[in-house]
Amino acid sequence: MTSRTESPVDLRRTGFGPAPDAEAVRDGAGIARVPTPFGPPAWLLTRQADVRRMLGDADTFANGWTPDDLAGDVRRDPRQLSGDRSGNLLSLDPPEHTRLRKMLAGEFTVRRMRRLEPRIVEIVDDHLDALERSGTPADLVSQYALPIPSLVICELLGVPPGDQDEFQARTSAQLDIGQSEERRVALAAEALAYMQGLVARARREPGEDLIGMLIREHDDDLTNDELVGIANLLLVAGHETTANMLGLGTLALLRHPDQLARVRDDEDAVAPAVEELMRWLSIVSSGSPRLALRDVEIEGAAIRRGDLVVFNLPTANRDPAVVDDPERFDITRDGPPHVAFGHGVHHCLGAPLARMEMRIAFPALLRRFPTLHLATADSDDDREVDFATAHAIHGLERLPVAW
């Protein structure tokens, strides 16, 4: 029998916000040594200026490290969960990262994403129709928040409709950091095998999807492993993040009915609301641990060459040095900076797509069901809400609603 593992400090969450131990670091020294699943401890960064500095300096803080680069007793090789990192932009450094991202960047511009807008509107309307037919109570996560971005990214990558349910279940399990190491390694291998089959079919008959485009336009510049890795990363990252934002964001709006009404009734309020939801929720708690390539000092701490560095985005996005009254959810804020999409060379490639999906899906839901409310005994009690606290991407297990 395998046992569930405890979440690392940089991934722990409490309700909508950061975990108290991460907040305590930010409000104290700003940096602390914390244990890691890899063996050697890491430096935890919690303040926005420090997180931006680290993420913006790929020459000092590297992604592409191996256990051979670490000092001390190494318990886990990160390649167990990510293969050899081929095509996985989140685990690569320039110039390899730059070469692959350049091939993809043109497909994720705001202008290119607008071509998808009519189809996203259609997908959203179809799921609203299905919600209305099914009646109340309904689970907003499984019936709305999860399937919409899943269908969008699957169509973008050319995943057959019949494979989508299996893909959703496997991806959710992969991101459950409470799963045993053995289970997560097995799931990663299953995902890789699926992607290898998907790419093989696309090579035989390239479609108009993103994988087909990469094969037609960049086949000579991409290895098969890189193409598989790119597809695997986009499929996982492209749906779980937005799905959790739609579920958790709806709950946040329901808890703030005056601001919900603005999102529902005022088109100009939607875009600022999405940015405030990104900041306040910070569903991606952290990212790949970095390896210091040289000695550097942060917040008075001496980080040595070979040390691991991790970071906490929820504490950075609620940093009182950057945001006034940061614990308050307020969609009328004048765009305070946030790092919910990351920063630097690894700033989220799919940010324009995620923003578009949220700007369509939130107001559409609230306008279709203007009396939407939680179907729980006490709508203000967090104990009646199933937060997905053991997942690498923060969200909800389910969200019972009625109208």
Side-chain angles (χ1 to χ4, degrees):
M1 178 180 293
T2 56
S3 60
R4 295 178 68 84
T5 58
E6 184 182 17
S7 303
V9 175
D10 54 309
L11 296 180
R12 293 177 196 160
R13 299 298 297 265
T14 301
F16 291 112
D21 45 5
E23 284 185 310
V25 174
R26 183 198 62 205
D27 298 339
I31 186 171
R33 289 284 254 178
V34 296
T36 73
F38 308 107
W43 292 100
L44 172 65
L45 306 183
T46 58
R47 294 174 179 166
Q48 189 169 137
D50 297 331
V51 171
R52 284 183 180 275
R53 174 185 172 185
M54 186 270 290
L55 293 180
D57 187 359
D59 292 331
T60 301
F61 301 99
N63 267 333
W65 53 272
T66 72
D68 295 336
D69 299 312
L70 303 180
D73 180 23
V74 179
R75 293 195 303 266
R76 177 193 288 181
D77 185 336
R79 292 169 295 184
Q80 286 182 297
L81 298 178
S82 60
D84 64 0
R85 293 198 179 97
S86 295
N88 185 345
L89 297 177
L90 297 181
S91 299
L92 295 175
D93 299 308
E96 293 83 6
H97 172 273
T98 307
R99 175 178 65 86
L100 294 178
R101 185 169 176 123
K102 187 176 180 180
M103 295 180 194
L104 291 165
E107 292 300 307
F108 285 91
T109 62
V110 173
R111 180 175 58 84
R112 293 286 184 94
M113 288 300 101
R114 283 179 181 149
R115 296 182 308 182
L116 293 174
E117 185 169 358
R119 178 57 182 143
I120 295 173
V121 170
E122 183 180 8
I123 290 171
V124 167
D125 287 342
D126 287 346
H127 284 82
L128 289 172
D129 292 342
L131 265 177
E132 197 164 15
R133 287 194 300 270
S134 68
T136 62
D139 174 22
L140 200 73
V141 170
S142 64
Q143 294 176 254
Y144 189 74
L146 182 60
I148 289 172
S150 177
L151 188 55
V152 170
I153 198 66
C154 285
E155 289 194 5
L156 187 66
L157 291 175
V159 174
D163 294 352
Q164 290 169 16
D165 287 346
E166 178 185 352
F167 145 72
Q168 286 179 6
R170 181 170 56 241
T171 300
S172 179
Q174 277 183 273
L175 293 171
D176 182 352
I177 55 180
Q179 294 265 8
S180 70
E181 181 78 7
E182 296 83 359
R183 177 61 177 152
R184 294 181 70 201
V185 169
L187 288 165
E190 289 177 17
L192 192 64
Y194 175 80
M195 281 300 154
Q196 288 168 340
L198 187 70
V199 169
R201 292 196 297 271
R203 285 197 179 279
R204 292 192 296 269
E205 190 175 348
E208 296 303 313
D209 51 74
L210 185 59
I211 296 176
M213 179 278 292
L214 289 171
I215 291 171
R216 287 192 302 273
E217 298 183 14
H218 301 287
D219 197 26
D220 292 340
D221 303 316
L222 281 171
T223 67
N224 200 68
D225 285 344
E226 286 175 333
L227 188 57
V228 168
I230 288 171
N232 195 36
L233 171 64
L234 293 178
L235 196 57
V236 174
H239 100 278
E240 279 285 338
T241 48
T242 308
N244 282 283
M245 275 300 303
L246 292 177
L248 199 58
T250 299
L251 177 61
L253 291 170
L254 289 171
R255 292 277 175 82
H256 299 83
D258 57 330
Q259 302 192 61
L260 180 152
R262 290 178 65 92
V263 174
R264 183 190 63 219
D265 301 332
D266 182 359
E267 290 185 6
D268 292 336
V270 176
V274 167
E275 297 309 309
E276 176 67 351
L277 285 165
M278 292 294 303
R279 180 198 72 83
W280 199 66
L281 298 175
S282 301
I283 58 163
V284 178
S285 299
S286 187
S288 302
R290 272 35 173 199
L291 180 79
L293 300 180
R294 58 176 65 95
D295 292 352
V296 62
E297 182 176 303
I298 295 180
E299 300 288 0
I303 299 175
R304 301 301 184 191
R305 181 178 182 273
D307 284 354
L308 284 178
V309 181
V310 295
F311 52 99
N312 188 266
L313 296 179
T315 57
N317 282 333
R318 296 192 183 199
D319 187 344
V322 178
V323 184
D324 291 334
D325 194 7
E327 299 301 317
R328 177 171 51 88
F329 175 64
D330 181 3
I331 67 171
T332 67
R333 292 183 190 275
D334 188 18
H338 67 73
V339 285
F341 284 118
H343 180 67
V345 297
H346 290 284
H347 182 271
C348 178
L349 184 67
L353 176 60
R355 284 185 166 111
M356 176 176 287
E357 290 181 78
M358 287 186 279
R359 288 173 183 173
I360 293 170
F362 280 128
L365 171 69
L366 301 176
R367 290 167 189 161
R368 177 69 70 93
F369 304 114
T371 60
L372 189 75
H373 59 276
L374 289 178
T376 57
D378 186 344
S379 61
D380 294 321
D381 188 349
D382 278 353
R383 292 173 298 180
E384 297 199 21
V385 177
D386 294 318
F387 288 94
T389 54
H391 281 238
I393 300 175
H394 190 48
L396 300 171
E397 297 287 358
R398 59 193 61 83
L399 183 63
V401 295
W403 53 84

